[in-house]
Amino acid sequence: MTRAYERKKEPALVRRRLLEHGARLCGQQGVAGLSLQEVAETAGVTKGGLLHHFPSKQALVEAIFDDLMQAFEEIVQREMASDPEPFGRFTRAYINGTLDLIGREDRGGWSALMMSTLTEPSLKRKWVEWLDGHLQQEGRVDADPMLELARYAVDGMWLSGFFDAHDLHGSPAETLRRQLITLTRKP
């Protein structure tokens, strides 16, 4: 007896595809416009397959957010590891990581999810916990008012980049980056 073609199950790969396609669609349509059916179709799985990994739209959105936050955490950690100066290290990593994301082609998913922190309490809580965790861990070396000002400024640049309100690419962005990094150095 011959067996019909059987596709090897690769749950980790399927989950990864769902997260990537979900993030892309969030960037294109916003979180409110995200459809589980469309995510499943673009990822090449059934809606039932998607629901196996993520039992609700909320679970999918939170998993996408967690995935993107993990990627951002890796960027911040890499930046911090290469910075020998303790004072302002986290803030410099935060500035560089944020500005690098503004220039990325796939920033739409990041932007849509970060904007959702304004209206979605669970995402807001995750973001605040992440940021507070770093600020507590870094203690006094990132508590300086100038460092706080630099973090607020880069948050404003992120928001401006989301709305494409200003040219935050090339030379203007690099000039602003240098000025913000200057704020993070000990006086």
Side-chain angles (χ1 to χ4, degrees):
M1 177 182 219
T2 62
R3 294 177 133 194
Y5 172 76
E6 291 181 18
R7 186 169 68 177
K8 181 181 175 186
K9 292 188 179 191
E10 299 178 276
L13 182 61
V14 170
R15 187 176 195 285
R16 168 70 18 224
R17 280 199 327 260
L18 289 166
L19 291 171
E20 289 171 358
H21 287 273
R24 185 177 51 76
L25 290 170
C26 279
Q28 293 171 352
Q29 303 165 1
V31 173
L34 187 67
S35 154
L36 293 181
Q37 184 65 43
E38 189 173 6
V39 172
E41 287 173 4
T42 62
V45 300
T46 65
K47 187 173 179 182
L50 180 147
L51 292 171
H52 171 75
H53 291 278
F54 308 104
S56 67
K57 179 178 173 178
Q58 182 67 31
L60 174 61
V61 168
E62 287 187 16
I64 293 168
F65 188 82
D66 290 344
D67 189 54
L68 293 175
M69 284 304 304
Q70 179 59 41
F72 189 64
E73 173 68 15
E74 290 170 10
I75 291 167
V76 168
Q77 289 299 323
R78 194 170 39 251
E79 287 282 332
M80 289 177 66
S82 68
D83 187 341
E85 183 183 344
F87 182 85
R89 180 183 295 147
F90 168 71
T91 299
R92 282 188 295 281
Y94 183 75
I95 290 167
N96 285 323
T98 300
L99 293 179
D100 288 348
L101 288 177
I102 290 173
R104 287 177 56 160
E105 290 294 318
D106 65 346
R107 79 177 194 267
W110 292 82
S111 296
L113 286 159
M114 291 309 292
M115 291 302 289
S116 293
T117 62
L118 300 174
T119 58
E120 180 54 49
S122 65
L123 300 183
K124 177 183 177 181
R125 185 180 65 254
K126 287 174 184 263
W127 173 254
V128 168
E129 287 172 0
W130 179 85
L131 185 57
D132 284 350
H134 273 287
L135 294 175
Q136 287 175 10
Q137 184 177 4
E138 297 305 315
R140 63 179 180 72
V141 296
D142 269 271
D144 185 272
M146 292 307 282
L147 298 173
E148 190 172 20
L149 177 65
R151 288 190 302 273
Y152 285 142
V154 82
D155 287 344
M157 290 175 70
W158 173 267
L159 187 60
S160 186
F162 176 75
F163 290 116
D164 290 324
H166 302 285
D167 179 15
L168 294 175
H169 300 87
S171 183
E174 289 310 309
T175 299
L176 290 170
R177 181 191 306 254
R178 282 192 303 277
Q179 291 171 338
L180 288 174
I181 295 297
T182 299
L183 292 177
T184 70
R185 304 289 183 198
K186 263 193 175 173

